Amino acid sequence: MSLNNNKPVLPQSKKLTLGLFGFGVVGKGLYDVLHSTPALQASIKKICIRNADKKRVIPQEHFTTDANELLHDESINVIVELIDDADAAYNIVKAALQKGKAVVSANKKMIAAHFEELLHLQHIHGAALLYEGACCASIPIIRNLEEYYDNDLLSAVKGIVNGSTNYILTKIFDDGLSFKDALLQAQQLGFAESNPALDIEGHDAANKLSILLAHAFGRIAAPSEFLYTGITSIKKTDADLAKQKNLKIKLVATAQKINDSQIAAFVLPQFVEEQDELAGVSNEFNALITESSFADKHFFKGKGAGAYPTAAAVLSDIAALRYNYKYEYKKYLQENTPELSNDYYLKIFVSADDIEKIDKDQFAWIEEWHNEKNNNWVVGIIQSALLQQNNWWKQPGVSLILTKNPVVQNVEYREIGKKSLELAGVI
Ligand code: HSE
């Protein structure tokens, strides 16, 4: 008997005709990747670019500068949006969804800024918007959060979500490069945003955390609603201290449940110990750790920036559209999604070139205090609301770095912390 006679048949897949917006690092990457994947049966019909005069590696007839040529073309059933202007991207994605076209985008800034509206547009026009490439590039996290962790057991998602800053920190720590040279390399390698301030000041990581919050916990929150900063304030003295203590400094995004109905969310530099999974994540690699009740921990690691790693995620979204895949946003749609809270404590290290810059009255508890010319630091516990409401720790010459397991939920600290809040006039 041959089992082959009973072999199941592959479901009929849709033929996809793509309209591509953008032919930069990722757009060109996708073009190459698609040409190496003929079995996908997805072809690019037209590419819309901003500057017609720029020299390109493929013939001119593939390009247009008229967005409507793609948006009004009935034969194009998928719009792939890979431009870096978030406002222009929003208009393109909105117009495409309104026309009932499926959309694939890697524009985290645009998605984080318009999450709720984009969800609504998908719903009323019955068109899918997929964006696996917008969060940690090649790491398949969004679909995993949607499908595998499709229950309320997740307690935390945390990790390194920006490739450029991780590349810069690696080069500073391991190769002794200056910040400026390391950033230049990240730009030359196509990891950084066109405006690298988005990377180094933490905005890009915050946009990604915003997307993760929606898919992990069903909570839609703009970056302005949580605590975040980048790596620009990390000083040589901080790096030296970390080395002395066998620690690394990483920019870590965290979304962590603090009770059944509340989540702590923040993106801040953090000291990680050598044996910590995140310590071994170097260069443009990203990594995410999920924590859940029964499965315990999962660790995902992959390239988080660059042409092909991002194009791979975009390609995977395109492939998913052949079978009409769409995000269901079940966690967002269910009742009682957890709220963001700033009523929790963080254990932080703060250093300053001038001791006066450290507002020690804000601390609920000070554990260590180091005082030396041009190098003063404190390790202590502080209420997150106080960090969110005050900017003393963001002034030049001051850096804030989280300690290991920074979220503190200790009643004793809460009582002491309340006093600080009263003194600061917050409550
Ligand atoms: N600039 C981003 C990064 C690109 O460095 O992570 C990938 O999203």
Side-chain angles (χ1 to χ4, degrees), residues 108 161-164 191-193 199 204 208 304-305:
K108 47 271 157 128
V161 299
N162 180 270
S164 302
F191 303 150
E193 301 297 300
D199 295 298
D204 181 76
K208 290 167 180 164

Side-chain angles (χ1 to χ4, degrees), residues 182-194:
L183 170 59
L184 192 67
Q185 282 191 6
Q187 289 177 290
Q188 284 164 345
L189 291 165
F191 303 150
E193 301 297 300
S194 313

